Amino acid sequence: RKRECPCCGWKGIFFRSFATTGYVRKDALCPRCGSFERHRALSYFYSKFLATPGQRPSRAIHFASEPCLVWTLKPLCDRYERSAYEDEATADLRLDLMNLALPDESCDLLLMNHVLDCMLDDRRAAVEMHRVLRPGGMVLAVVAFEKDVKTREFATPLSNSCHRVYGSEDLAERFAPLTVFVVNAAEGLSVEVRKRNGIDAFVPVLILKKGMANK
C-alpha cells in the first residue's frame, strides 16, 4: 500500500484520478473521503497549528466546509460550526462573508478554502471578518496565490469560479485592517510523507490576524 490519507485514514495503492474540462489529475482524490492534495496538507497543518498552546479556538466557523476536513478540525475546537452560503443539509449557519450576521468580536477562528478568491468583494469581506473576530483572532484561508506579483483580477470569472489570483506584493493593503502572513501547509513534512499522502511541496495558506501591528 503506497498511498495514505491523513484526513480519514484510508490506505491503498493509488488515489483516484480527477477529470474536469481540459485536464486530468491522476492520483489525486481519496476514494473514501474525497480529499485532494491541499486537504491532506491542511489536515497536517491544522493538527499542528491549532494544537499549539494558546491557539485552540473557543469558537471556529468553517465556510464552504469540506467534509473531509471536519474529522480533523472538530476535535481541535471547543465549538466548531459549518457555514454554507447556499442551502446545505450539514451546515449549521447560512452566512454571507460580505455581510456577516454575527455580533462584533464573537469568533476566534474563521476557516475557508478557495472562498475569498471566488467572491465578488473580498475587501468588504476583510472588513466584516475583522469586525467579528476577537482580538488575536484569525482567518486561515487557502487561495489561488503567486509570489512576487500583484493580485490579478478577472473581468469574467474563470471556469472554476475564480475571480482573482492573489499576489504577495499587495496582500497587506488588500486585507487591511487584518495583518497578513503567508505560510506553507506542507512545511516540515518529509519527502516520504508528502509522496505517501500525495501532497505538493508548497501549499500556501493565508493567515489574516486581528490585533497585531503590520510588519
Side-chain angles (χ1 to χ4, degrees):
R1 292 186 171 184
K2 299 180 180 180
R3 297 290 183 265
E4 182 176 345
C5 177
C7 299
C8 68
W10 174 88
K11 295 180 180 180
I13 297 177
F14 295 109
F15 292 115
R16 287 181 179 172
S17 296
F18 173 76
T20 186
T21 303
Y23 71 95
V24 176
R25 283 163 58 185
K26 295 183 178 180
D27 201 19
L29 185 67
C30 175
R32 177 184 289 174
C33 70
S35 68
F36 283 102
E37 300 92 336
R38 67 178 181 275
H39 299 128
R40 296 189 286 273
L42 288 170
S43 181
Y44 281 108
F45 172 73
Y46 292 149
S47 297
K48 181 179 179 180
F49 186 84
L50 296 180
T52 303
Q55 295 286 42
R56 183 182 178 91
S58 58
R59 186 186 186 187
I61 300 178
H62 190 177
F63 292 81
S65 58
E66 304 94 331
C68 61
L69 290 174
V70 174
W71 295 319
T72 298
L73 285 166
K74 200 168 185 178
L76 297 170
C77 310
D78 291 338
R79 179 181 174 186
Y80 171 78
E81 297 169 280
R82 304 169 69 182
S83 176
Y85 187 62
E86 298 178 350
D87 187 43
E88 183 181 321
T90 57
D92 306 295
L93 303 166
R94 302 283 186 273
L95 296 174
D96 179 354
L97 272 168
M98 293 184 290
N99 186 23
L100 289 167
L102 294 169
D104 294 355
E105 299 186 358
S106 58
C107 302
D108 302 286
L109 178 65
L110 305 176
L111 300 138
M112 58 201 71
N113 300 313
H114 291 296
V115 173
L116 292 173
D117 44 2
C118 293
M119 64 188 308
L120 289 173
D121 194 345
D122 58 331
R123 295 175 188 267
R124 181 174 173 183
V127 173
E128 276 292 275
M129 291 188 296
H130 182 271
R131 178 183 65 80
V132 304
L133 285 171
R134 299 184 179 112
M138 66 184 71
V139 180
L140 299 180
V142 171
V143 297
F145 174 79
E146 295 176 343
K147 296 180 180 179
D148 304 322
V149 296
K150 292 186 177 181
T151 298
R152 293 186 290 124
E153 299 270 3
F154 305 109
T156 302
L158 303 181
S159 59
N160 59 357
S161 300
C162 184
H163 282 266
R164 65 193 60 83
V165 174
Y166 289 101
S168 59
E169 289 191 357
D170 59 353
L171 287 179
E173 178 273 330
R174 191 168 197 102
F175 288 111
L178 296 164
T179 303
V180 185
F181 304 89
V182 181
V183 298
N184 180 11
E187 185 176 356
L189 300 179
S190 68
V191 174
E192 179 184 353
V193 168
R194 288 195 285 104
K195 184 177 180 181
R196 185 172 67 245
N197 291 270
I199 295 173
D200 297 331
F202 182 57
V203 182
V205 179
L206 302 188
I207 300 179
L208 313 176
K209 193 161 187 177
K210 179 175 179 176
M212 294 181 63
N214 289 322
K215 295 184 179 180

